[in-house]
Amino acid sequence: IIDDLKSEINKVDNKQDFQNLKASYLGKKGKVKDLMKEISKIEPEKRKAYGQEVNKIKNQIEHIFEEKMEEIKKIEKEKKEKKNWIDVTLPGAITNRGKEHLIEKTARELIEIFTNHGFKQVEGPEVEKTWFNFDALNTPEWHPAREMQDTFYIDSDVGTLLRTHTSPVQVRTMLKEKPPLAIISPGRVFRKDEMDATHLFAFNQLEALYIDKKVSVANLKYYLESFTREFFGSKVDILLRPSYFPFTEPSFEVDLTCIACGGKGCNVCGNTGWIEVLGAGLVNPNVIKNVGLDPDEWQGFALGAGIERFAMLKYNINDIREFVKNDIRFID
Ligand code: PHE
């Protein structure tokens, strides 16, 4: 029985098997009990010796199980340690980290340039009153310029719309704060445009407004030149082309040396060497009057730049729809 046990117990390496084996030897229906029962078949005078012998065997068996228990405990402890062991030399799990979207990055770069020059960032609502978006900006109901920008109206009775540009923030700021003023306002604008490679119906602009005494086109030119050079690099020049906006006089469309060809002429700039990047001008005296200021005392310049356009030029993107497609490869 001892030899049997020794060979059987060798195969045991866990507590469950151990308990089963132990029960089969020392349990109520175990082999040792069976040996005890045999005593009735033994001649009476030999029973004492038999009993002592069985007891000896039982003690040996108990001892074997005790030793085995120690071993099992050790094995189980090692197993547990192995399971909890961390291999610090393994390469870490790769997690995909979020990235700053190019529009966000471009806006941040532009904002940084202007705030470094002392411009303060302000916000305006995307759902705007018609009065701020058009009327106060010298664009009354009958004005043909309203058709320049196809508008998403929300409630024409109340006079609410999705702002078509960031220029209403000019009005909101001038009504709220006393000049001199130097503010920028980045944000989303909306136009009923068909989507194509250069148009989205929701895009971003950066408005800048500077109001002070004796502001002239020279001041505007200085800022246009310095901020575009800071943003694109020192080699770009600006070209002011006369244009028309109801809220500025004079008004300009501002071109930049074509980044793609360095001004030599290519298919990006239609061989002109210039690329239109923003609208600007001196704040129309009517707008100054509309916010209750005296145009003889206060003048200013304003500009509105398309953030997507700046991002496309700087980062060489040829389809504006890429920005909103949410293709992770593009964002990467
Ligand atoms: N608001 C004009 C537009 O969206 C741009 C602009 C801003 C022009 C400020 C002049 C001055 O087209």
Side-chain angles (χ1 to χ4, degrees), residues 149 164-165 167 170 191 205 207 245 247-248 279-281 302-304:
Q149 301 172 353
T164 58
H165 51 182
S167 298
Q170 291 183 30
R191 287 180 201 178
Q205 286 190 332
E207 192 84 9
F245 298 103
F247 35 92
T248 48
L303 64 91

Side-chain angles (χ1 to χ4, degrees), residues 120-304:
K120 188 179 78 171
Q121 185 178 341
V122 298
E123 305 288 332
E126 291 176 358
V127 175
E128 186 54 283
K129 292 197 177 96
T130 310
W131 187 79
F132 284 104
N133 195 83
F134 288 127
D135 304 74
L137 287 166
N138 199 35
T139 323
E141 196 83 59
W142 47 265
H143 204 290
R146 282 211 188 187
E147 284 148 39
M148 279 165 53
Q149 301 172 353
D150 268 324
T151 310
F152 287 113
Y153 284 96
I154 290 180
D155 189 334
S156 342
D157 294 337
V158 186
T160 47
L161 45 72
L162 291 178
R163 65 178 177 186
T164 58
H165 51 182
T166 42
S167 298
V169 186
Q170 291 183 30
V171 180
R172 287 184 172 274
T173 309
M174 288 189 280
L175 284 174
K176 229 184 337 206
E177 292 176 39
K178 284 205 168 70
L181 289 170
I183 59 108
I184 47 161
S185 191
R188 204 185 292 275
V189 301
F190 308 84
R191 287 180 201 178
K192 245 189 215 168
D193 276 332
E194 207 66 59
M195 279 223 275
D196 61 28
T198 54
H199 293 87
L200 295 174
F201 53 80
F203 57 101
N204 292 277
Q205 286 190 332
L206 181 96
E207 192 84 9
L209 173 72
Y210 181 78
I211 302 283
D212 206 339
K213 293 181 176 174
K214 301 194 175 75
V215 177
S216 74
V217 173
N219 301 109
L220 171 62
K221 264 184 80 176
Y222 166 79
Y223 275 106
L224 286 172
E225 207 146 71
S226 61
F227 105 82
T228 51
R229 282 186 182 172
E230 270 184 67
F231 183 78
F232 288 107
S234 57
K235 287 201 183 72
V236 297
D237 287 318
I238 56 157
L239 176 70
L240 300 187
R241 279 188 295 108
S243 183
Y244 175 77
F245 298 103
F247 35 92
T248 48
E249 181 58 35
S251 301
F252 305 99
E253 244 144 51
V254 182
D255 291 3
L256 213 68
T257 312
C258 176
I259 320 271
C261 59
K264 289 187 200 77
C266 65
N267 56 352
V268 175
C269 56
N271 277 320
T272 60
W274 298 99
I275 279 198
E276 189 201 321
V277 289
L278 59 92
L282 294 189
V283 179
N284 191 308
N286 287 338
V287 176
I288 304 271
K289 269 187 238 159
N290 287 344
V291 296
L293 296 174
D294 177 3
D296 290 330
E297 190 184 2
W298 300 104
Q299 301 85 42
F301 70 72
L303 64 91

